[in-house]
Amino acid sequence: MSTHLCDLSSVVSTSVGTAIGIKWLGTRHFVTFMLFLGMANAYVMRTNMSVAIVAMVNHTALDAEVEELDDECPDTDYGEHTDTIQDGEFAWSTSLQGYILSSFFYGYVITQIPFGILSKRYGALRFLGWGMFINSVFAFLVPVAARQGGFGWLIVVRFIQGLGEGPIVPCTHALLAKWIPPNERSRMGAFVYAGAQFGTIVSMPLSGLLAEYGFDGGWPSIFYVFGIIGVVWSVAFIWLVYEDPSSHPRIDEREKKYIINERNPPIPFKAIIKSLPFYAILFAHMGQNYGYETLMTELPTYMKQVLRFSIKENGILSALPYLAMWLFSMFISVIADWMISSNRFSHTSTRKIINSIGQYGPAICLVIASFTGCDRVLTVAMLTIGVGLN
């Protein structure tokens, strides 16, 4: 099976000629597609708990004990937004839910830099594949930890999942550098990282459906289903993908030469450390990531506890902003290319304008959303536009 899959590009290039074999369908494209699926799988694993926890928590018990959501939308306005499914099994406070949701990211942030360094020395493939395998296997333990061990063991399991997912970004960078020539890296990289939005779009509505209709009480099926998908991807990735073109036994020789001949010059680390634009991009990205990850993690809880959407509607509406982000990113890339090619804007001004829209646009929309109260349509619209502009 692996031989047939990996030889697909060679068969096509032989039948349709060298140019198409190199440019349109090669082994590097298969590697790119697998990395896209890996990125999608990673974001599935980090977002599924955000929807699952809505179904896991007994909100009625919490409301009876404390009145901490004084400004939540009134019950009298449920209308078609009401859900009739029972409350969850666990009376976890809002602060405890925050610890559970954030535990994944504590593990995730710890392993990123170390595995980025190790991948340069020992190769990125195994760190990425086995890290996601660990992440996927521990997904099966989430229901067991929650039910048998309590929230403490659940936090430990999610923390270990985060540790396993930490290599995804640095190792993906490393593999793209080895497999994709510099002149193709922008579009190939954009395709791979679009997997983040794709995974979120798939995870949230599907998690909502599984929480409502799934087996073993609903929400556990979220982790079983996505755990199986993650294990299958991890095994396929380790089995079918190679560290670089030189180690691939079946890559077309023309494609191998094409990739190797386009390799990068040495990285000027000293110049990067002294570069003010580098730090500007670094801090801008940190700010963007903070808002993006916070919204992605907390949005389903907000949809449930404040706007009072059903679990099924919750998953769909929580995914809507990330669908907008996916579509807007493709649209704005065309606009950015036009701005540069028309000679009306320089590369620098184009990037500053587009990046400013992506930073200030969401900030303005979030401020507006904080004043929309219980107007569900306007609130969801502002969140969708804000994340879309991001």
Side-chain angles (χ1 to χ4, degrees):
M1 178 181 176
S2 61
T3 302
H4 292 309
L5 286 172
C6 294
D7 283 346
L8 178 61
S9 63
S10 299
V11 172
V12 173
S13 63
T14 300
S15 60
V16 298
T18 303
I20 293 181
I22 292 176
K23 292 183 177 180
W24 295 110
L25 188 58
T27 305
R28 69 191 186 283
H29 298 100
F30 174 74
V31 173
T32 301
F33 179 65
M34 289 298 290
L35 290 173
F36 165 83
L37 294 180
M39 191 63 62
N41 186 52
Y43 273 74
V44 164
M45 289 299 182
R46 75 175 67 178
T47 57
N48 56 16
M49 176 58 82
S50 300
V51 178
I53 202 168
V54 175
M56 295 168 73
V57 171
N58 190 320
H59 302 281
T60 303
L62 285 181
D63 290 342
E65 292 177 9
V66 292
E67 296 181 0
E68 57 184 351
L69 296 174
D70 295 331
D71 57 348
E72 66 186 6
C73 297
D75 295 353
T76 54
D77 194 29
Y78 273 18
E80 63 182 11
H81 305 283
T82 308
D83 65 304
T84 57
I85 64 171
Q86 70 275 19
D87 269 325
E89 306 168 36
F90 309 102
W92 292 331
S93 66
T94 303
S95 59
L96 183 53
Q97 292 176 53
Y99 291 128
I100 293 170
L101 289 171
S102 62
S103 59
F104 178 95
F105 295 97
Y106 283 107
Y108 178 70
V109 75
I110 287 174
T111 50
Q112 285 196 49
I113 293 177
F115 278 103
I117 296 171
L118 290 172
S119 68
K120 297 288 288 184
R121 175 170 295 185
Y122 300 108
L125 180 74
R126 296 294 183 265
F127 289 128
L128 175 52
W130 285 110
M132 288 303 297
F133 182 80
I134 292 171
N135 184 0
S136 303
V137 168
F138 270 79
F140 297 111
L141 300 181
V142 170
V144 178
R147 285 174 168 168
Q148 305 299 325
F151 66 86
W153 280 107
L154 176 58
I155 287 174
V156 170
V157 168
R158 288 294 290 174
F159 177 79
I160 294 173
Q161 283 192 278
L163 290 175
E165 190 167 311
I168 183 72
V169 171
C171 291
T172 296
H173 280 325
L175 288 172
L176 284 172
K178 293 176 181 179
W179 274 99
I180 309 302
N183 61 310
E184 296 183 3
R185 199 163 296 156
S186 292
R187 58 182 178 271
M188 294 287 203
F191 176 76
V192 168
Y193 288 104
Q197 284 76 53
F198 180 77
T200 305
I201 294 166
V202 170
S203 173
M204 287 188 168
L206 186 54
S207 294
L209 292 172
L210 288 170
E212 186 163 358
Y213 303 116
F215 53 90
D216 193 19
W219 65 265
S221 62
I222 296 173
F223 301 99
Y224 298 145
V225 169
F226 289 130
I228 292 171
I229 293 173
V231 168
V232 170
W233 177 86
S234 300
V235 172
F237 182 78
I238 294 170
W239 184 26
L240 298 176
V241 176
Y242 289 80
E243 183 67 34
D244 52 44
S246 300
S247 62
H248 198 298
R250 292 174 296 276
I251 187 174
D252 187 285
E253 284 298 321
R254 294 163 295 182
E255 184 181 14
K256 181 191 292 187
K257 292 178 181 178
Y258 170 66
I259 295 171
I260 293 174
N261 290 340
E262 294 292 330
R263 285 291 177 85
N264 287 330
I267 300 172
F269 287 107
K270 189 177 294 185
I272 290 173
I273 292 173
K274 296 179 180 179
S275 170
L276 287 178
F278 164 73
Y279 290 105
I281 293 170
L282 174 64
F283 291 127
H285 185 66
M286 288 172 62
Q288 184 274 337
N289 247 20
Y290 173 78
Y292 178 82
E293 300 286 357
T294 301
L295 271 179
M296 184 177 64
T297 304
E298 298 290 349
L299 194 55
T301 299
Y302 173 76
M303 292 283 191
K304 168 66 178 180
Q305 292 188 350
V306 179
L307 297 184
R308 304 295 190 93
F309 284 108
S310 72
I311 188 68
K312 183 169 64 175
E313 291 173 318
N314 192 328
I316 295 171
L317 293 173
S318 295
L320 190 60
Y322 300 95
L323 175 61
M325 185 178 183
W326 193 28
L327 297 175
F328 280 24
S329 66
M330 291 185 284
F331 170 75
I332 206 67
S333 64
V334 176
I335 298 298
D337 283 345
W338 172 82
M339 291 171 68
I340 295 171
S341 62
S342 67
N343 294 322
R344 290 181 172 88
F345 302 90
S346 67
H347 282 79
T348 300
S349 60
T350 298
R351 289 164 182 165
K352 286 183 176 180
I353 291 169
I354 298 300
N355 198 53
S356 296
I357 294 172
Q359 298 279 19
Y360 295 117
I364 293 169
C365 288
L366 285 178
V367 171
I368 295 173
S370 69
F371 291 99
T372 54
C374 291
D375 188 329
R376 294 178 172 88
V377 175
L378 184 57
T379 303
V380 173
M382 285 296 100
L383 290 172
T384 301
I385 294 171
V387 176
L389 288 175
N390 200 205

